[in-house]
Amino acid sequence: MGALTRPIAKLGDAAIGTVGFIGALGILIGLTFAASPRLIFRKRGRRLAWRNLWFQAHRVGVKSIGVVALVTFSIGVILALQIVPILEGYGVPDQIATIIAIAFFRELGPLVGAIVLTGFAGASIAAEIGTMAVNEELKALRSHALSPVRFLVVPRVLASMVMTVCLAVLSSIMGVLGALCATLMITDLRADAYMELTYNAVDAFDVSTGLVKAAVFGMLIGAMACHLGLGVRGGASGVGSATTRTVVLSIVALTVVDLAFTAVFYLLGL
């Protein structure tokens, strides 16, 4: 293979690998949603399934509440400190409430909450399932005719979806509060006027689109972590590699999907 064709061959291999990875991830998501009703609504084992779901939700979501609140509050403060002086130059400092409200409820709240959750949920899920794969616990499940997708993937993906939506609401509120605190310190705007402008700026569509994106983000985080965890090979080094890849690929996927959502909404004029 010549020096000129080698980069093209590598690019082709990378493209084939990417398409294969996306296809395998899509198949896992399809299997997860196909198995979800049976796991949650069937009478036999329902209590165990709900207990497992609650355990996963607590592990991946509740423990990250403090970090999400601190990060989004700080981002709200930073944005206000950067934007208010510019708005004061145009004589409309009160518009900071409108900008911050729309930015957080439509974009930053779901995205930042999901990125923080990736560090908590994605890494831990990939490490946990990867360790089970190394210890051949997955083979033990299959030898007993038990599906790893139904018993391992479904609770984790559903828990990630639910908790990402909850964290999106929390992060949006904390971002608005952070911007409110900063604005009150550097302008003459009153708190009640700021909150009234925020209330008038955000409508049901803004909130609903943010929550839909958060649910998709949660699905991606859970499915990506499970997929990479199930494919671990090579002992401890494989587990470490899967954990790192989960965090990196999840953040890239979240950003690309958010870009796609934003582009579609822009083209539709929403």
Side-chain angles (χ1 to χ4, degrees):
M1 186 178 295
L4 293 178
T5 59
R6 192 174 295 117
I8 299 175
K10 289 183 178 179
L11 183 62
D13 292 340
I16 293 173
T18 302
V19 172
F21 180 83
I22 294 174
L25 184 64
I27 292 173
L28 180 62
I29 292 174
L31 293 175
T32 300
F33 283 106
S36 298
R38 183 181 176 187
L39 181 70
I40 295 176
F41 298 111
R42 69 172 184 171
K43 292 183 179 179
R44 185 180 177 184
R46 180 189 300 175
R47 180 179 298 179
L48 180 61
W50 279 97
R51 187 181 302 171
N52 189 15
L53 183 61
W54 168 248
F55 173 78
Q56 295 298 333
H58 180 271
R59 191 189 66 161
V60 305
V62 175
K63 292 183 178 179
S64 60
I65 287 177
V67 176
V68 171
L70 177 61
V71 169
T72 49
F73 183 88
S74 301
I75 291 176
V77 173
I78 293 169
L79 288 178
L81 293 177
Q82 293 290 334
I83 297 175
V84 166
I86 298 174
L87 294 177
E88 285 180 330
Y90 291 97
V92 286
D94 56 337
Q95 289 302 310
I96 185 64
T98 302
I99 295 172
I100 291 294
I102 294 177
F104 269 96
F105 279 96
R106 294 191 63 155
E107 293 292 341
L108 294 179
L111 184 60
V112 174
I115 288 176
V116 174
L117 191 67
T118 299
F120 281 88
S124 64
I125 290 173
E128 183 183 32
I129 296 181
T131 303
M132 295 176 69
V134 170
N135 294 332
E136 298 190 346
E137 295 178 42
L138 300 182
K139 288 184 178 179
L141 282 176
R142 294 189 180 98
S143 66
H144 289 81
L146 298 176
S147 169
V149 172
R150 199 172 68 192
F151 286 92
L152 298 177
V153 177
V154 171
R156 287 163 176 78
V157 172
L158 295 182
S160 298
M161 292 178 66
V162 172
M163 294 313 300
T164 309
V165 171
C166 296
L167 290 176
V169 176
L170 171 68
S171 58
S172 299
I173 293 173
M174 293 305 298
V176 170
L177 290 178
L180 168 64
C181 293
T183 303
L184 294 182
M185 288 188 294
I186 60 178
T187 69
D188 297 329
L189 193 64
R190 301 193 317 273
D192 57 342
Y194 186 100
M195 295 309 298
E196 183 178 358
L197 288 169
T198 299
Y199 179 79
N200 293 332
V202 179
D203 56 22
F205 180 80
D206 297 323
V207 177
S208 60
T209 54
L211 297 183
V212 169
K213 286 199 292 186
V216 175
F217 293 162
M219 179 192 68
L220 281 175
I221 294 170
M224 187 91 69
C226 291
H227 175 60
L228 293 172
L230 290 171
V232 165
R233 301 289 184 276
S237 61
V239 175
S241 175
T243 304
T244 303
R245 291 186 68 200
T246 297
V247 175
V248 174
L249 293 179
S250 295
I251 292 175
V252 173
L254 292 176
T255 307
V256 172
V257 171
D258 191 36
L259 171 63
F261 269 115
T262 304
V264 170
F265 292 153
Y266 177 79
L267 293 175
L268 295 177
L270 300 176

